[in-house]
Amino acid sequence: MRNHPKFKEAVAQYCETMIEPPPSAWPLRKLLNQFDRYYAAYMLIWNYYGWVEEGTPSPTLARLKTVSGLSPRQLTSLVNVLKRAELVSGEADTGNRRRMLLRPQPLLIQEISRSCVAFLAAHDHIHGGKLARLAAASPDRLGRMIWGSARLVLSSGTIIAPFPTVLAMAGYDGGYPVLTAIMADHYRRMTGRGRIALGYAALAERFQVSRSHIGNVLTWLYQNGAIDRDRMASSALVDEFEQWGISEMSHYADLVGSVLQKT
């Protein structure tokens, strides 16, 4: 895939999508732009669709605690925030009215799937498909895709684990978006397009985090040789990010193909 003439253009397109401004003033993207919180919400979707698709145990908070990766207190706090924002609903279990089922709402599913759909669009750009459009046509399709992804993660481990820089960035508040901005700037420079503003203030404003958060991310990248003083991506970072992109494109293309066969 990496040798395809449209590959770099497709990855650049992915990066541009990931740095687009959020659609609303409520900081949902800021909340989920950190791996632990993103993963917990991703597993909340798995929890619900496993129950719908396979009749697994009810998607309660107690069951989510076993796989979320957060402490019980952190998870309860996150779920309460998502409920207040109407991104998750608590519905009484018909079999036990005292037991509350956690149901992800379409906006949460769409936000958790945002990178997945962008990688599908990159896959489509290379291969001439329409997987991204078909997947994004229904929140339930996206939910089932996330459910399938989570099943593989639980059995085989996360896809992100072999990519240390990407994994490190995902652990910072706003780290992964900053990484995609640096990569978007890299591809813009390759094609002579206008540069991305990579200053502290510009990145903090774009991704709704503090300048100190941006400083932590840029310092880590520089100290680990991923960027130079001008915040240009190293060849090693470009290689890692592109391999990461291939893994993600292939992962979600396989999953959405399976989902479409069932719908």
Side-chain angles (χ1 to χ4, degrees), residues 62-80:
R63 185 162 192 259
L64 184 58
K65 286 176 181 178
T66 66
V67 293
S68 74
L70 296 178
S71 71
R73 183 174 180 178
Q74 289 172 324
L75 179 62
T76 300
S77 175
L78 174 63
V79 169
N80 285 339

Side-chain angles (χ1 to χ4, degrees), residues 170-181:
Y172 283 98
D173 279 329
Y176 187 74
V178 171
L179 176 60
T180 58

Side-chain angles (χ1 to χ4, degrees), residues 2-257:
R2 201 173 181 190
N3 293 327
H4 194 284
K6 291 185 177 180
F7 175 76
K8 290 188 181 296
E9 188 177 79
V11 179
Q13 179 188 79
Y14 166 82
C15 294
E16 294 288 344
T17 298
M18 295 306 291
I19 64 172
E20 289 175 353
S24 68
W26 196 82
L28 171 61
R29 203 156 285 176
K30 176 182 176 181
L31 176 70
L32 298 175
N33 272 338
Q34 195 275 337
F35 183 75
D36 289 349
R37 295 191 293 270
Y38 175 91
Y39 184 79
Y42 165 94
M43 295 310 296
L44 188 152
I45 295 168
W46 163 84
N47 203 25
Y48 178 77
Y49 280 93
W51 175 66
V52 170
E53 294 294 310
E54 292 186 318
T56 56
S58 299
T60 61
L61 181 63
R63 185 162 192 259
L64 184 58
K65 286 176 181 178
T66 66
V67 293
S68 74
L70 296 178
S71 71
R73 183 174 180 178
Q74 289 172 324
L75 179 62
T76 300
S77 175
L78 174 63
V79 169
N80 285 339
V81 168
L82 295 175
K83 283 182 177 178
R84 286 196 296 272
E86 299 183 341
L87 298 168
V88 170
S89 63
E91 303 172 1
D93 188 342
T94 55
N96 182 346
R97 304 297 295 180
R98 292 176 298 176
R99 185 164 54 197
M100 299 300 294
L101 310 181
L102 298 179
R103 179 174 185 168
Q105 296 301 299
L107 182 57
L108 179 65
I109 295 171
Q110 289 161 355
E111 188 60 31
I112 290 297
S113 303
R114 191 168 69 94
S115 177
C116 318
V117 173
F119 272 127
L120 283 171
H123 186 278
D124 290 343
H125 187 78
I126 295 167
H127 298 289
K130 51 184 180 180
L131 294 177
R133 181 170 60 82
L134 291 171
S138 162
D140 272 336
R141 282 183 183 172
L142 293 175
R144 287 175 170 86
M145 182 180 73
I146 292 297
W147 166 65
S149 175
R151 291 177 72 198
L152 291 175
V153 164
L154 288 170
S155 64
S156 306
T158 61
I159 298 169
I160 201 172
F163 304 98
T165 304
V166 179
L167 179 59
M169 290 298 93
Y172 283 98
D173 279 329
Y176 187 74
V178 171
L179 176 60
T180 58
I182 289 168
M183 292 304 303
D185 183 63
H186 164 77
Y187 294 115
R188 285 194 184 192
R189 284 189 292 103
M190 289 178 61
T191 56
R193 295 175 59 203
R195 299 282 301 277
I196 303 288
L198 297 177
Y200 281 45
L203 290 172
E205 181 178 1
R206 181 186 286 270
F207 299 125
Q208 301 177 304
V209 295
S210 69
R211 288 169 60 100
S212 63
H213 277 96
I214 298 299
N216 291 336
V217 170
L218 295 177
T219 297
W220 190 99
L221 289 169
Y222 177 71
Q223 290 180 344
N224 285 273
I227 59 173
D228 63 15
R229 290 186 181 278
D230 295 322
R231 294 166 196 160
M232 293 172 60
S234 68
S235 59
L237 175 58
V238 173
D239 180 70
E240 180 183 330
F241 193 88
E242 291 184 351
Q243 293 292 348
W244 154 249
I246 291 168
S247 294
E248 287 284 277
M249 287 183 223
S250 300
H251 176 71
Y252 288 107
D254 289 344
L255 286 168
V256 78

